[in-house]
Amino acid sequence: MKLDPEETAVVVVDMQNGFCHPDGSLYAPGSEAAIDPCAELVSAAREAGASVVFTRDVHPSEQFEANHYYDEFDRWGEHVVEGSWEAEIVEDLDPDAADLVVEKHTYDAFYQTGLEGWLESHGVDDLVICGTLANVCVLHTAASAGLRDYRPILLEDAVGAIEEDHREYALEHAEWLFGEVHSRSEIEFR
C-alpha cells in the first residue's frame, strides 16, 4: 500500500510510560512490544515527509470528581496523572519539534481536542494508526477518524493490548466496520 506523505499522518496513540513501562500502573507487555514497530514507522514517516501525531492520555487528578457516571479512575485506577512520569511518552518515541502532540482526557483523540482542525489545515486524509491500547484508545480514536471521513489504517503489528484477544477483537471490529488493517511491511510512503 503506497500512501502520499503529503496527505498522510502517522498517529501514535498513548505510547506512555504508564502503559508501556513495567513500572507503569497500567503496564501491558503487548504495549511495550509495540514500541519498536511504532518507532520504525515514525522514522519512515519523517523520512518521507509525512506528518506525525502523538497522543497523550493525561488526567488532571480532579478530572472525575464531579462526574455522574464516567470515571476512568474507578474503572482503571489512577493512571497517567497530569505532570507525572506515567504521562510522559516513552523515551524511544520522543516527539520532534515538527510533530503534533495531542493531549486528550478520554479514549478518543478527537474528543474536545484540536486534532481534527490540525489534520484539516495540513491536508491529511489518511491516518496510519499505531500504539496502545488496541481495544480502548486505539479503537475509539480510529472509529472517530472513520466517522469524520478520514481513512483509518490500523497496523496489526504495531498495536499493543493487555490481552491478545483484546487486540484481535479491536482489529477485526475496525476492519469490519470503519477502517483497514495492514501490517507495517505493507505500508510505503511514495
Side-chain angles (χ1 to χ4, degrees):
M1 164 182 294
K2 293 188 178 185
L3 298 169
D4 183 343
E6 292 183 14
E7 298 176 359
T8 303
V10 169
V11 179
V12 183
V13 177
D14 298 356
M15 293 298 287
Q16 296 163 254
N17 292 326
F19 307 115
C20 300
H21 192 280
D23 294 334
S25 62
L26 290 178
Y27 168 71
S31 298
E32 184 177 19
I35 294 172
D36 287 343
C38 288
E40 291 169 12
L41 178 64
V42 166
S43 178
R46 287 179 180 149
E47 186 176 312
S51 298
V52 177
V53 176
F54 288 89
T55 71
R56 290 179 61 230
D57 192 33
V58 178
H59 300 295
S61 58
E62 71 285 348
Q63 178 179 349
F64 305 108
E65 288 177 2
N67 285 21
H68 165 70
Y69 176 75
Y70 177 72
D71 185 337
E72 286 187 33
F73 288 172
D74 273 353
R75 182 171 304 276
W76 300 97
E78 197 168 282
H79 62 285
V80 293
V81 174
E82 189 172 51
S84 71
W85 167 85
E86 281 205 349
E88 295 173 14
I89 294 171
V90 296
E91 192 174 294
D92 292 345
L93 289 168
D94 281 337
D96 283 351
D99 300 336
L100 175 66
V101 178
V102 175
E103 288 196 2
K104 62 186 187 60
H105 303 295
T106 188
Y107 309 132
D108 177 358
F110 288 90
Y111 182 73
Q112 296 183 347
T113 72
L115 178 57
E116 185 172 14
W118 189 90
L119 294 171
E120 286 179 9
S121 71
H122 286 79
V124 172
D125 293 320
D126 299 327
L127 303 180
V128 179
I129 301 172
C130 61
T132 204
L133 292 167
N135 62 324
V136 186
C137 296
V138 170
L139 183 63
H140 287 274
T141 295
S144 195
L147 294 175
R148 287 171 167 79
D149 199 33
Y150 293 99
R151 178 185 183 193
I153 303 163
L154 287 79
L155 295 189
E156 62 189 354
D157 49 355
V159 173
I162 295 171
E163 302 286 339
E164 180 58 25
D165 61 335
H166 295 171
R167 190 181 74 79
E168 290 173 12
Y169 161 79
L171 295 173
E172 288 173 10
H173 185 73
E175 190 166 45
W176 176 70
L177 194 55
F178 57 78
E180 299 175 29
V181 176
H182 295 279
S183 67
R184 167 63 191 103
S185 64
E186 294 176 283
I187 302 297
E188 291 181 42
F189 299 99
R190 57 179 157 102

